Amino acid sequence: MQNTMKYPKIPTYCCCMFHACFNKLIQASEPSFIAAAPTSLEKVAPLTDWLIFRPLQGRSKSSGLCFGDGKSRIDYILVYRKSSSQSEKREVFERNIRAEGLHMEKEASLTNSDVIFLKVHAPWDVLCRYAELMNIRMPFRRKIFYMHRRHKFMSRMEKRINKFRGWLPRKPMKFDNDRLPDLEENESFTAPFSRSRIHHFIIHNKDTFFNNATRSRIVHHILQRVKYEEGKNKMGLNRLLSNNSYEAAFPLHEGSYHSKNPIRTHGAENHRHLLYECWAWWGVWYKYQPLDLIRRYFGEKIGLYFAWLGWYTGMLFPAALVGLLVFLYGVFTLEHCQVSKEICQSTEVIMCPICDQYCPYLRLSDSCIYAKVTHLFDNGATVFFAVFMAVWATVFLEFWKRRRAVLAYDWDLIDWEEEEDEIRPQFEAKYSKKERMNPISGKPEPYQAFTDKYSRLIVSASGIFFMILVVIAAVFGIVIYRVITVSTFAAFGWALIRNNSQVATTGTAVCINFCIIMLLNVVSPEQPRTESEWENSFTLKMFLFQFVNLNSSTFYIAFFLGRFTGRPGAYLRLINRWKLEECHPSGCLIDLCMQMGIIMVLKQTWNNFMELGYPLIQNWWTRRKLRREHGRNAKAGFPQWERDYNLQPMNAYGLFDEYLEMILQFGFTTIFVAAFPLAPLLALLNNIIEIRLDAYKFVTQWRRPLPSQAKDIGIWYGILEGIGILSVITNAFVIAVTSDFIPRLVYAYKYGPCAGQGRAGQGCMMGYVNASLSVFRVADFERTSEPRTNGSELFGEAVQYCRYRDYREPPDSAEPYSYTLQFWHVLAARLAFIIVFEHMVFAIKTLIAYLIPDLPKDLRDRMRREKYLIQEMMYEAELERLQKEKNEKKKKTDRTHHKEWP
């Protein structure tokens, strides 16, 4: 038995560029021609071939995977209730199903006699006919890869690397192939199935030639096009599900995911059991994902989602490490930070009240702890980290394109185009009266008029725009809440709240904002379609709504909070009543950090609970009812269709919610990362859990979703690119506007002790705090904002002057409270930084995208080699066919001559 474990699998949550280099070096020592030798990072024998499968003969009938005869495999299950009023439609539908050649068998539920299970089986001739119509690719010849020999230098390097790797411990992320024996995997070239060329395809067994996922996909395709009433609009399983003619429709899981015997000694019972033990079980959280098996069981679309999630998680490792180093740099340099030292030592500096009437005067030293926390995130390494994350986002997307290309090749999706995607049955039924010729296939197809299409688009866009306005209104309500409660908390009876009124306001506002976000997430202005064109349209519109919903408050805090408040004595007011909220004396960055930290932690925790907790509770309640009605061991005796029916269906949005959660997290990780360097670390920790949580949910808690094909992650890739561009702009503004990086830089080079010396160390920041604060005369307060106390209870005498964050002239100057020259210098430096930063980072991103090709060189060579071999094989196959026909003709001629011989 050939061992395929010598080629390492790519990890799903670690950076794999070094593994790729090692893989290439290892392959250098192989012969020039290698049969079925994988060259991609993860193209090895899947985990299905690492475990021994028990034969299904003798137990298939009892396991509920076949008809009553024990031979006909169940390809699809339809569930309905006898008490339903739609019996006529079902009868017509089932009669038309039989006319299509499908076999059916009915069986009542063991727990509810009103529930009927309709089992559907597709015989060989039906599978062949529709496989040809659907252009399903099937294997026809075994692959042979050509491997170039490496240079002598590479051979020497390979020996040294292998020697070094021999000292390392065994790879903990690889499965133990000594205990889990692998089976031979036949990798073959594939081509669209054709009944006229059926002799070209590798058919060892008609029952297993089409795997379970393909059989289910073919049956679903048929059911979506079967009529249940006369008329063009009366067709399709989806319509029968929507009008409650059928209660559920799903393909079967391949048995139980549990086994009494250990998998290492007795092997896997089925693919579902194998997926659970090697992927969904929490004990293998650090192992590689078996992407080939995921694709085989759930289809290419779900396989691509987990491949992308694993790649994203792996790429988060370097981002999380650098972000942690930036945070630790802030921790280690905290004692040497001149700005925080001056704030902590400014016991004589009196700050003006931050709200009307109820807020007292404060010492600047009261902000000591907040100044130190701000330095942890806003330090000298922040700009470097912002540039790094912009480059990281580009590298992540460019290498994902390469990774996707490898998967598309390995999964035979290179030549799969959207034209092969099925027309949506509802679209086909509604617009069947109008047809036009498809310019690619040359066949007539339903056509939607231009006016109808764009009128619907306008209505849909108007709905999304209205929902975005609702989100903005909610943010406006949060702003009013912050303005009102800061005064309320300042007059609070509890001293802890009263002394930290601004932090309490920010914390409660963030929690309320989180509740509003989750509430508005439930409001969905549209239901998703299944085909890619409609799916992309729905995805874009819903993402815009969800993105605005999640990030609107963060944008307000980052770029508007404390920017348009005016000054003491001349505050700008909301509706001429409420004074706008000011930043903390230590800056606005602490508010942004709190917003991002709380929202990110709470949202990820809530999403994980809802993703797994809800189906767990639902399934637990179902099992509890079954135990009470039928005994503790009742479920063990149920057939597979009964057990699957008691599971939760996959949500109506498909993979939309899964992608949306990760894309929004990607936005949080990149857009405001300059203000919160720990965001990549939190995302990494969440995603390590998310991979196994989603795997557990798909394998154990949900009914088996319908396998479907996809070439890439769809419009989500364009959204990721858009977020990458937006992150450059927002981080430039965060550094220039929200943080104090630019004011400190201007002070160090222009106004500080080192002015004109061309350097800007910590010693050059002496006096910065005093230079960044302006003086206000208390007698100039407006009557509506004048504090109720004069500060004598805190400072021993009435306060005459107080300080506030701004660059303004003192009250005794010729132009009191006008902007100083330093203000204009800082403003000009901020604008210059934004322009330079954006152009520099965009130039770096463009250069990196240009230098990284979309296809790896070895993959390009393999594709060319495969194209050449396919042409040779087809030519040889045609010659064999002609030779065979010639021989048969010659035999017939010889027989004829023999009969005519006297």
Side-chain angles (χ1 to χ4, degrees), residues 243-302:
N243 64 23
N244 295 323
S245 296
Y246 288 100
E247 189 173 293
F250 52 89
L252 283 180
H253 278 295
E254 298 179 7
S256 176
Y257 63 89
H258 277 306
S259 176
K260 297 179 180 179
N261 302 311
I263 190 172
R264 294 181 181 273
T265 56
H266 290 72
E269 296 270 352
N270 49 65
H271 285 171
R272 188 188 185 195
H273 181 212
L274 182 62
L275 276 171
Y276 176 78
E277 293 289 341
C278 299
W279 180 49
W281 180 47
W282 294 99
V284 294
W285 65 269
Y286 57 92
K287 299 282 187 181
Y288 303 135
Q289 288 191 103
L291 293 181
D292 288 329
L293 181 58
I294 298 170
R295 171 246 182 171
R296 184 181 300 180
Y297 194 82
F298 292 111
E300 286 80 3
K301 181 175 286 189
I302 293 178

Side-chain angles (χ1 to χ4, degrees), residues 61-345:
K61 182 176 179 179
S62 62
S63 64
L65 298 176
C66 296
F67 276 18
D69 59 7
K71 297 179 181 179
S72 301
R73 182 185 303 178
I74 299 174
D75 298 317
Y76 215 82
I77 290 290
L78 301 178
V79 186
Y80 67 91
R81 292 182 180 270
K82 289 190 293 185
S83 58
S84 173
S85 60
Q86 306 290 341
S87 58
E88 293 183 4
K89 294 180 180 179
R90 281 198 308 271
E91 290 176 1
V92 174
F93 186 71
E94 292 168 10
R95 187 163 57 247
N96 291 332
I97 290 177
R98 292 190 185 93
E100 290 290 339
L102 298 178
H103 298 170
M104 293 184 296
E105 183 178 83
K106 293 184 180 181
E107 187 163 336
S109 171
L110 298 178
T111 60
N112 187 348
S113 59
D114 189 43
V115 175
I116 303 298
F117 294 98
L118 177 63
K119 298 172 280 185
V120 182
H121 166 74
W124 171 254
D125 57 337
V126 174
L127 292 173
C128 292
R129 183 169 74 252
Y130 277 94
E132 184 173 5
L133 290 174
M134 298 169 64
N135 291 321
I136 294 177
R137 302 182 69 88
M138 301 304 295
F140 72 90
R141 190 64 64 90
R142 186 174 171 81
K143 284 185 179 180
I144 299 178
F145 294 116
Y146 178 75
M147 305 293 296
H148 291 285
R149 292 188 179 275
R150 301 299 196 269
H151 194 269
K152 291 182 179 180
F153 170 76
M154 298 299 291
S155 299
R156 291 196 298 268
M157 286 294 296
E158 173 208 343
K159 292 179 181 179
R160 294 176 182 175
I161 292 175
N162 285 338
K163 184 178 179 181
F164 172 74
R165 292 174 66 185
W167 298 336
L168 299 177
R170 300 187 67 179
K171 296 179 180 179
M173 290 177 286
K174 287 181 61 177
F175 291 94
D176 188 357
N177 62 319
D178 295 332
R179 295 186 179 182
L180 305 179
D182 57 328
L183 303 178
E184 185 177 2
E185 168 74 1
N186 292 325
E187 296 182 2
S188 305
F189 294 114
T190 61
F193 184 79
S194 173
R195 287 177 291 175
S196 62
R197 297 184 176 180
I198 195 170
H199 55 278
H200 290 170
F201 294 90
I202 304 174
I203 305 177
H204 299 301
N205 185 345
K206 290 184 178 181
D207 293 333
T208 58
F209 178 65
F210 296 102
N211 60 35
N212 290 344
T214 303
R215 297 173 68 100
S216 300
R217 190 154 57 92
I218 291 175
V219 172
H220 180 78
H221 175 89
I222 298 173
L223 296 179
Q224 289 291 72
R225 283 154 179 79
V226 171
K227 290 185 177 182
Y228 58 87
E229 281 184 11
E230 292 300 325
K232 288 191 174 182
N233 293 334
K234 309 297 184 179
M235 63 182 292
L237 176 62
N238 285 350
R239 287 176 174 266
L240 292 177
L241 288 171
S242 62
N243 64 23
N244 295 323
S245 296
Y246 288 100
E247 189 173 293
F250 52 89
L252 283 180
H253 278 295
E254 298 179 7
S256 176
Y257 63 89
H258 277 306
S259 176
K260 297 179 180 179
N261 302 311
I263 190 172
R264 294 181 181 273
T265 56
H266 290 72
E269 296 270 352
N270 49 65
H271 285 171
R272 188 188 185 195
H273 181 212
L274 182 62
L275 276 171
Y276 176 78
E277 293 289 341
C278 299
W279 180 49
W281 180 47
W282 294 99
V284 294
W285 65 269
Y286 57 92
K287 299 282 187 181
Y288 303 135
Q289 288 191 103
L291 293 181
D292 288 329
L293 181 58
I294 298 170
R295 171 246 182 171
R296 184 181 300 180
Y297 194 82
F298 292 111
E300 286 80 3
K301 181 175 286 189
I302 293 178
L304 274 174
Y305 163 71
F306 282 103
W308 176 84
L309 179 58
W311 187 262
Y312 169 46
T313 305
M315 290 295 291
L316 277 174
F317 265 91
L321 178 61
V322 176
L324 182 61
L325 292 177
V326 170
F327 179 78
L328 293 177
Y329 173 81
V331 173
F332 293 134
T333 59
L334 182 60
E335 296 300 325
H336 306 287
C337 179
Q338 182 64 29
V339 176
S340 59
K341 280 183 181 179
E342 290 187 1
I343 291 177
C344 293
Q345 295 171 1

Side-chain angles (χ1 to χ4, degrees), residues 12-13 289 303-316 396 400 658-659 662 665 687-688 690-692 694 713:
T12 59
Y13 43 83
Q289 288 191 103
L304 274 174
Y305 163 71
F306 282 103
W308 176 84
L309 179 58
W311 187 262
Y312 169 46
T313 305
M315 290 295 291
L316 277 174
F396 161 64
W400 164 248
E658 316 297 330
Y659 273 116
M662 292 295 103
Q665 183 204 83
N687 287 7
I688 292 175
E690 180 77 19
I691 290 176
R692 304 302 161 178
D694 284 348
I713 62 175

Side-chain angles (χ1 to χ4, degrees), residues 627-654:
R627 284 197 299 267
R628 292 176 61 182
E629 296 174 2
H630 304 279
R632 299 187 62 85
N633 299 322
K635 190 178 179 182
F638 289 164
Q640 188 62 44
W641 56 81
E642 188 98 37
R643 291 194 293 248
D644 285 6
Y645 175 67
N646 291 325
L647 296 177
Q648 297 301 305
M650 187 176 181
N651 59 59
Y653 296 94

Side-chain angles (χ1 to χ4, degrees), residues 575-589:
I575 322 179
N576 292 325
R577 181 176 180 182
W578 294 300
K579 168 181 169 288
L580 293 176
E581 187 182 5
E582 291 187 56
C583 289
H584 200 272
S586 60
C588 293
L589 201 67

